[in-house]
Amino acid sequence: MALCLVGVTAYTPLERIADALLVIEEGVFSYVGPRGACPLVPGARVLDLGGALVSPGFMDLQVNGLGGDALLTTDAAGVRRIARELAKRGTAAFLPTLTTASREELIRAARAVSDAWALQQEEDAAEARILGVHLEGPYLEPEMRGAHPEEHIRAPSEEEVEAIAQAAGGWGVDGAPGLAMITLSPEWEGAADFARWLAEKGVVPAMGHTRASAACVEAFLEAGGAFAVHAFNRYGHPETPAHRVDSPMDYVQNDARLSAGLIADGVHVAQHPLASFVRARGWERTVLTSDLVADGGLRPQGAARETKDGMPGDAVMRGGVLSGSRLSLSGMLPRLRGWCGLDTACALATATRNPARVLGLESAQGRLAPGLRADICVLEPDSLELIAGMIGGNWASDAPPIAGG
């Protein structure tokens, strides 16, 4: 039976459609547009959302874990628990992110993600879609490693990446699910050639955890570098003031070849520098990312390196170092819009259209359009607070979240 959503303002995200009609048939949009331009489908179930705002489901390029599950150590069932909880929080698609670890751990974790992806293909479950694996590390500048364990930091290896990609199901977002993104430090010898090799295989080369010179960053971008993870965090020389040297943050903030991830939890980046960054960078190449992490950090609770520490309210800190955020994209979006003074369409694009474009998925993901899967967020129109999430036409909550649903 078709479902018709009415009583709603839809953002596609960049087009605003007042008094919109969204028709969903077999989990896919058959119509998105003005209500008066299309008759209701005979026999369809009609749900009035009472003036709510509907946007595409959110897409997160950096999820390290959630709750009790760290993606580095969990199994396929744990990956799916994360995917189900993300869906309830409005995230419709994500890159499970594996951080610095031994080769054996990374291969095992990539295989767990691939197994979870295969199970998702068999079931019509309301879970955030696994788009591919994001490997953040282990190819990082040691002094800029942050929460990544020093003993596992190492130089880029094509042979190792091929083994991880095989475990992940292939290359790029066309894999099963595939190795979609690798974050590395551009100052490694051969980093530019490595980035070019990745790009040729459909993997997005991303930069982060770096104090690279301008020459190294320029070579990395010329070779295909396209994304910068968690802006402001672990960029620049740890001792020399940024205004006295060329800083990688200059590129993160200003270079049109890069899209930049931004964690809007108020801990990783304070409100005023975040707003200044978005004004300088522009919303078009700002990508809201959660950097979500398990309660125990990058590894399970009780692991020696994850000793309990001070915990800023919306972030997780272990060993005196930030490990990640507690907020999903739906928790960050209202802050981003308010702090930056963005209009609603532009703010929504940072969590939908923009991450899809980084992965080359803008035609298939991050939009409301006929023929696309019915992944939506229902939001309170003034605050942008999440009311409900839908994945493939199925509500992500256990019961219909809106009266009459």
Side-chain angles (χ1 to χ4, degrees):
M1 178 188 297
L3 172 64
C4 296
L5 301 180
V6 299
V8 63
T9 297
Y11 283 80
T12 66
L14 294 183
E15 180 187 2
R16 178 182 182 273
I17 307 172
D19 191 19
L21 168 65
L22 289 80
V23 181
I24 300 167
E25 300 184 71
E26 297 184 352
V28 174
F29 290 118
S30 60
Y31 177 79
V32 176
R35 182 175 181 178
C38 178
L40 295 180
V41 177
R45 184 162 58 97
V46 179
L47 176 59
D48 191 326
L49 298 184
L53 183 156
V54 166
S55 79
F58 301 147
M59 181 186 297
D60 199 338
L61 302 186
Q62 192 170 9
V63 175
N64 309 292
L66 184 58
D69 292 298
L71 278 159
L72 191 60
T73 58
T74 196
D75 57 10
V79 177
R80 295 191 71 193
R81 281 193 295 271
I82 292 170
R84 284 192 292 272
E85 180 59 29
L86 286 173
K88 293 177 183 179
R89 299 185 183 194
T91 298
F94 73 116
L95 293 184
T97 300
L98 311 181
T99 53
T100 299
S102 69
R103 175 191 177 109
E104 293 73 24
E105 287 178 298
L106 293 175
I107 289 173
R108 187 214 60 79
R111 189 170 293 120
V113 173
S114 181
D115 290 344
W117 176 90
L119 291 169
Q120 283 189 339
Q121 309 312 299
E122 298 174 2
E123 303 174 20
D124 185 24
E127 299 178 5
R129 179 186 175 194
I130 297 168
L131 296 174
V133 170
H134 176 182
L135 186 62
E136 184 190 0
Y139 316 128
L140 307 178
E141 159 59 44
E143 290 191 30
M144 303 300 290
R145 67 186 183 279
H148 295 246
E150 185 174 15
E151 65 268 26
H152 292 309
I153 297 291
R154 50 196 181 270
S157 164
E158 292 184 5
E159 186 272 333
E160 180 175 61
V161 167
E162 286 177 338
I164 295 170
Q166 181 178 8
W171 298 99
V173 292
D174 293 328
L179 181 60
M181 178 180 289
I182 293 185
T183 296
L184 69 150
S185 304
E187 55 264 54
W188 281 106
E189 182 178 355
D193 290 337
F194 188 71
R196 186 174 295 105
W197 176 75
L198 291 175
E200 289 171 351
K201 291 185 172 295
V203 180
V204 176
M207 61 181 277
H209 294 265
T210 178
R211 56 178 185 177
S213 67
C216 288
V217 176
E218 181 65 34
F220 185 80
L221 299 186
E222 284 295 313
F227 189 62
V229 300
H230 47 57
F232 290 100
N233 291 275
R234 301 292 165 180
Y235 285 92
H237 198 283
E239 297 177 357
T240 306
H243 66 275
R244 288 181 8 208
V245 294
D246 289 325
S247 169
M249 269 303 296
D250 295 335
Y251 285 87
V252 176
Q253 184 154 309
N254 299 304
D255 198 291
R257 292 168 291 184
L258 276 175
S259 291
L262 199 59
I263 305 170
D265 60 7
V267 180
H268 284 79
V269 188
Q271 173 180 343
H272 294 298
L274 183 146
S276 296
F277 176 87
V278 174
R279 283 193 295 269
R281 165 87 288 187
W283 65 266
E284 298 94 333
R285 293 194 176 276
T286 296
V287 176
L288 192 63
T289 49
S290 71
D291 200 22
L292 266 170
V293 69
D295 295 338
L298 299 177
R299 292 174 179 273
Q301 291 192 33
R305 73 178 77 260
E306 301 293 358
T307 55
K308 294 212 171 186
D309 225 19
M311 294 184 196
D314 291 325
V316 175
M317 183 175 285
R318 294 290 183 268
V321 179
L322 277 172
S323 295
S325 182
R326 297 181 185 280
L327 293 182
S328 52
L329 298 186
S330 59
M332 294 181 179
L333 183 66
R335 299 183 184 190
L336 180 78
R337 184 183 66 164
W339 292 348
C340 300
L342 293 174
D343 68 32
T344 297
C346 296
L348 289 169
T350 68
T352 56
R353 164 193 178 269
N354 294 0
R357 187 173 62 177
V358 169
L359 297 180
L361 293 173
E362 59 267 43
S363 64
Q365 196 85 27
R367 297 187 301 128
L368 302 181
L372 298 188
R373 194 171 73 156
D375 297 340
I376 64 172
C377 289
V378 181
L379 306 172
E380 201 286 322
D382 294 324
S383 68
L384 295 189
E385 296 290 338
L386 181 70
I387 298 172
M390 175 183 280
I391 306 290
N394 297 315
W395 294 114
S397 302
D398 294 334
I402 301 167

